[in-house]
């Protein structure tokens, strides 16, 4: 088995896999918006998923790799670039 890209979201208390979220490149940063939404940067893109339906619903493309993600309480996303 080789290395793959993407995220796995686990419930440690139940020792169960909650969601598998694919990415085209290695994930560099992860941030939760709330109980239902997750953002992850991978390579030169950032994707936002609804965890109940883990298909990338929003994807941002950049010329360089993002180095940080942060959400405000109102849901706005800040993405730090190099």
């Amino acid at each position: 088995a080789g290395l793959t890209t993407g995220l796995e979201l686990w419930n440690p208390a139940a020792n169960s896999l909650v969601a598998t979220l694919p990415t085209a490149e290695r994930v560099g940063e992860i941030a939760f918006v709330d109980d239902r939404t997750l953002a992850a940067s991978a390579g030169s893109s950032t994707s936002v998923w609804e965890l109940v339906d883990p298909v990338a619903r929003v994807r941002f493309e950049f010329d360089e790799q993002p180095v940080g993600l942060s959400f405000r309480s109102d849901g706005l996303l800040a993405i730090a670039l190099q």
Side-chain angles (χ1 to χ4, degrees):
L3 296 176
T4 59
T5 59
L7 294 168
E8 290 183 347
L9 182 63
W10 286 82
N11 178 340
N15 193 27
S16 63
L17 182 64
V18 175
T20 301
L21 310 169
T23 62
E25 300 177 65
R26 185 177 67 93
V27 174
E29 186 80 20
I30 302 166
F32 283 95
V33 181
D34 53 32
D35 291 346
R36 300 174 43 110
T37 310
L38 171 75
S41 69
S44 60
S45 68
T46 296
S47 298
V48 179
W49 289 274
E50 286 290 331
L51 296 177
V52 295
D53 185 14
V55 174
R57 69 178 174 107
V58 178
R59 183 179 172 121
F60 305 97
E61 295 287 335
F62 303 100
D63 292 334
E64 55 195 76
Q65 183 169 350
V67 294
L69 301 173
S70 181
F71 282 92
R72 288 188 348 184
S73 61
D74 63 1
L76 290 179
L77 170 62
I79 301 171
L81 302 175
Q82 296 182 18

